[in-house]
Amino acid sequence: MDNELRDGSSIPSDRIKLLQIIKNNKLNKLVRYSWWEGKEAMEQCEIAQNEVFSLTAGPLLLYFQSGLVVGAASDPSRNSVIIWVEKDDTGYVKSEPVENDTDLYPIDAEDKTYSSPYWIQIVGQSIKEINIIKRDPYNALFEELPNEVGLEIVMENDMKFILSHGLHNDSDDFSVITASQIEIDILENLKWFTC
């Protein structure tokens, strides 16, 4: 993998080459790195036990069969989701990897307590399609921002999930959700673009 792809985190439209690489690649594991342990995340985020993986605060790592690991989070200053290469199949590992951050608590998508059965149908599938979700700017402050508020990932079994910047509650929070969790008032201001 070339150095350009390893160069920091960026919005999805700046990482089209990386998105093309992960397309048709098998997703072996999804792990959320939460700011809190499961029980505390439920209290801090006011969420149900089986929603912790989806709705806790903290980044997500997507582990692929090839050895590639891609990170995702959101950047309020860009009103966007951001992605980066955490590890690649050549031995490259990002400086200060998420996995080594002792302040974060890993919660696996297949966790029987803090995740829902939906995610078990995602893991082990290959990615078939990737769509960038843009939000129309809702005031002048957002007109200059990328507003790439979601990255929809469609699996070979047609199951989908969204790496989201506040789509579930109109906040600056990163979440990993399904389209059915997008707040209705936001939905009409979104546009999908296939990568």
Side-chain angles (χ1 to χ4, degrees):
M1 183 170 290
D2 59 42
N3 287 336
E4 173 196 336
L5 288 177
R6 298 180 187 146
D7 192 23
S9 60
S10 194
I11 59 174
S13 63
D14 287 346
R15 289 285 187 253
I16 297 296
K17 194 171 177 185
L18 175 59
L19 296 176
Q20 295 297 331
I21 288 170
I22 67 172
K23 209 183 282 187
N24 302 315
N25 209 325
K26 187 177 191 177
L27 187 60
N28 276 357
K29 191 164 71 161
L30 277 173
V31 181
R32 194 76 191 270
Y33 285 82
S34 174
W35 292 356
W36 307 283
E37 289 183 274
K39 200 167 186 118
E40 189 180 354
M42 290 167 56
E43 295 164 13
Q44 293 290 336
C45 302
E46 299 178 357
I47 52 178
Q49 183 171 292
N50 70 349
E51 294 177 322
V52 173
F53 169 79
S54 290
L55 302 179
T56 189
L60 173 79
L61 292 184
L62 299 93
Y63 296 79
F64 293 94
Q65 187 172 37
S66 66
L68 178 64
V69 180
V70 174
S74 62
D75 181 350
S77 71
R78 293 186 261 189
N79 196 40
S80 294
V81 166
I82 54 170
I83 58 174
W84 64 89
V85 173
E86 184 81 9
K87 292 181 186 174
D88 72 16
D89 52 358
T90 68
Y92 165 82
V93 179
K94 175 179 146 280
S95 65
E96 299 182 33
V98 170
E99 287 180 322
N100 294 355
D101 189 331
T102 55
D103 292 330
L104 298 175
Y105 300 91
I107 299 172
D108 196 290
E110 297 182 280
D111 187 290
K112 301 227 182 319
T113 305
Y114 296 114
S115 186
S116 76
Y118 182 87
W119 300 103
I120 292 169
Q121 301 169 73
I122 299 286
V123 176
Q125 296 287 315
S126 293
I127 293 176
K128 179 170 78 172
E129 184 181 318
I130 301 173
N131 302 302
I132 295 171
I133 304 170
K134 289 193 74 161
R135 185 173 182 178
D136 294 334
Y138 45 92
N139 67 38
L141 293 173
F142 288 87
E143 284 180 15
E144 302 302 314
L145 301 179
N147 300 305
E148 294 181 14
V149 294
L151 193 62
E152 181 184 55
I153 299 177
V154 183
M155 309 308 288
E156 63 184 326
N157 63 356
D158 292 322
M159 303 294 286
K160 303 174 185 179
F161 67 100
I162 299 171
L163 309 178
S164 154
H165 174 72
L167 292 176
H168 69 291
N169 65 356
D170 203 11
S171 70
D172 280 342
D173 296 336
F174 176 68
S175 57
V176 184
I177 62 171
T178 63
S180 65
Q181 292 173 281
I182 297 174
E183 196 172 278
I184 292 293
D185 295 345
I186 298 173
L187 203 51
E188 62 194 25
N189 298 312
L190 300 178
K191 293 181 178 71
W192 271 252
F193 300 90
T194 302
C195 295

